[in-house]
Amino acid sequence: MTRAASHARPLITGWGHSVFGKHPETSLAGLIAPVVRDALDRSGVDPSDIDEVYLGHFNSGLLPLGFPSSLVLEGEPELWGVPATRVENACASGSAAVHQGLRAIRSGDARHVLVVGAEKMTHAPAAQVGAALLGADGDVAGHPSTTGFAGRFAEVAEEYQHRHGPIEDDLARIAAKSHRNAVRNPYAQLRKDLGEEFCGTVSERNPTVAGILRRTDCSPVSDGAAALVLSAEPSGTAATEPVVVSGWGQANDFLPAAKRDPLAFAATELAITRALDRAGVTRAQLDLAEVHDCFTIAELILYELLGLTPRGEGRRAIREGWVTPDGVLPVNVSGGLKSKGHPVGATGVSQHVIAAMQLTGTAGEMQLPRAHTALVQNMGGLGIANYASVLTAGTG
């Protein structure tokens, strides 16, 4: 039976989240299973009522299995027979899966959708991981590289310095903030407050990785999984009040670097604007943002895309404390990709889960005193595949 398209905003009714980090004894299926069970249990939605499943998973040759969609059934056998689809869009694979679920809800084809993001990475040698990730770059995919994606973002950082002046100390401030925030996140991979001096000093423990980027400027290689349930209506037996997905936006940029200004991240900004416009929310009304800080230079530029400062002045946001938990717009209270970890397919789903925790007052030590409206921003490649979501507390 065909259902009528829903004009209500989709809801996040439940979620699950693994600890990100190194899990050498746990398979991809083993990462997925517990977060699936947790998401279903928290949502109060019976597995028999799930209409579709989307799994965000990048892989890019890191695992021999390139066909993981039915691994979700290992977490809940009662999902047998439910349509399940693997979604891939580089480092935005998780949010790509979330947005597919949103479309299913909005179209009326589904009342409840299970979305999972997962990645298994730490078993692979560094060279293999680097090559896999560079498969998301149109200019260097398949070519030898000693610096991987760090080299690509180092070029962005160097161009930023060329146009706007030195930023190494500011990147260290961003890294230190991320580590400080991650201490309060039980799901984070790097839970140690390293301080600005350590993050800003090249040393044996914090070597230069590429250009001006040090190890502390780079997100780690991670294993992990996260899951959430999207619903067309609230569940009477959910563990918390639902969170409304009030806006969403997606935008793609040209793949060849020659067709893009390296500092513009124009399609990233467009995705954010589309999500805010759909939600009827201004940047000034946001209470927090979970953004794609795969490297500290990415977060610095995102301060500008979020409207905190004009272009070229993003350093003001970190220098003046605007993006700390007690600042004007707390950014990456979770520690972000930089310190929470970046299991590629899981990242976008994780960002939505962390934001939902904040909006329901269930974020534990990470909890902000005021959290009503949140922005999630996730991108694949150098600002190529871009997704943004606006989440609000309550049932809409």
Side-chain angles (χ1 to χ4, degrees):
M1 182 177 68
T2 302
R3 300 187 181 99
S6 173
H7 298 291
R9 304 290 187 177
L11 307 174
I12 299 175
T13 52
W15 52 81
H17 201 297
S18 78
V19 175
F20 286 0
K22 295 182 179 181
H23 298 287
E25 305 302 321
T26 307
S27 66
L28 183 64
L31 291 170
I32 290 171
V35 299
V36 166
R37 289 192 293 266
D38 287 349
L40 290 169
D41 288 347
R42 288 186 64 86
S43 72
V45 175
D46 192 89
S48 63
D49 289 327
I50 296 293
D51 298 304
E52 292 193 41
V53 174
Y54 291 100
L55 171 64
H57 184 232
F58 179 55
N59 194 4
S60 192
L62 290 174
L63 290 176
L65 179 66
F67 179 48
S69 55
S70 279
L71 291 182
V72 177
L73 277 64
E74 301 305 306
E76 179 46 73
E78 289 186 42
L79 292 171
W80 183 92
V82 177
T85 305
R86 179 264 187 108
V87 179
E88 184 275 314
N89 217 0
C91 293
S93 296
S95 284
V98 172
H99 281 228
Q100 288 299 111
L102 295 176
R103 290 185 176 94
I105 296 289
R106 290 281 290 168
S107 72
D109 284 346
R111 292 171 302 140
H112 303 287
V113 176
L114 174 66
V115 180
V116 185
E119 208 72 55
K120 177 79 173 168
M121 305 176 72
T122 64
H123 64 285
Q128 183 184 359
V129 174
L133 294 174
L134 281 177
D137 188 280
D139 295 300
V140 298
H143 296 283
S145 172
T146 58
T147 57
F149 240 100
R152 304 302 280 165
F153 274 88
E155 293 170 2
V156 174
E158 287 161 4
E159 180 63 21
Y160 195 101
Q161 285 205 133
H162 174 71
R163 297 189 199 179
H164 305 302
I167 55 170
E168 290 183 62
D169 290 345
D170 300 299
L171 299 185
R173 292 183 179 99
I174 293 171
K177 172 186 70 72
S178 299
H179 281 279
R180 190 165 57 246
N181 288 350
V183 171
R184 297 187 295 273
N185 182 358
Y187 306 106
Q189 181 170 354
L190 305 177
R191 299 186 67 194
K192 186 175 183 180
D193 186 353
L194 297 178
E196 289 181 19
E197 182 177 356
F198 179 87
C199 293
T201 304
V202 174
S203 65
E204 184 177 350
R205 293 174 57 211
N206 189 27
T208 296
V209 176
I212 66 169
L213 299 184
R214 299 146 296 213
R215 180 178 290 166
T216 49
D217 293 307
C218 309
S219 58
V221 174
S222 316
D223 304 328
L228 56 84
V229 175
L230 296 170
S231 300
E233 64 275 328
S235 165
T237 56
T240 64
E241 287 295 310
V243 169
V244 184
V245 185
S246 54
W248 51 92
Q250 179 183 355
N252 267 54
D253 210 330
F254 293 110
L255 201 54
K259 294 186 175 183
R260 292 177 277 113
D261 180 326
L263 302 188
F265 286 77
T268 307
E269 185 173 33
L270 179 58
I272 292 170
T273 299
R274 284 174 172 168
L276 291 168
D277 287 350
R278 189 184 292 265
V281 169
T282 67
R283 285 163 167 79
Q285 291 174 301
L286 296 173
D287 298 311
L288 68 141
E290 287 290 321
V291 303
H292 194 100
D293 61 328
C294 47
F295 300 93
T296 51
I297 180 60
E299 181 166 325
L300 180 68
I301 290 173
L302 282 160
Y303 296 160
E304 299 167 10
L305 304 189
L306 291 171
L308 286 167
T309 74
R311 293 282 190 161
E313 299 180 22
R315 54 170 66 85
R316 290 179 55 202
I318 188 66
R319 289 181 181 181
E320 299 181 26
W322 301 346
V323 290
T324 59
D326 59 352
V328 175
L329 178 62
V331 175
N332 288 340
V333 177
S334 67
L337 287 61
K338 165 67 204 72
S339 297
K340 181 184 61 177
H342 184 25
V344 173
T347 288
V349 182
S350 165
Q351 291 175 305
H352 285 81
V353 169
I354 293 292
M357 289 178 178
Q358 287 287 350
L359 300 184
T360 54
T362 58
E365 291 185 37
M366 293 184 285
Q367 186 64 51
L368 295 169
R370 170 181 166 76
H372 180 270
T373 306
L375 176 79
V376 170
Q377 177 271 328
N378 187 201
M379 66 185 177
L382 257 168
I384 305 300
N386 300 277
Y387 295 84
S389 304
V390 176
L391 310 184
T392 53
T395 55

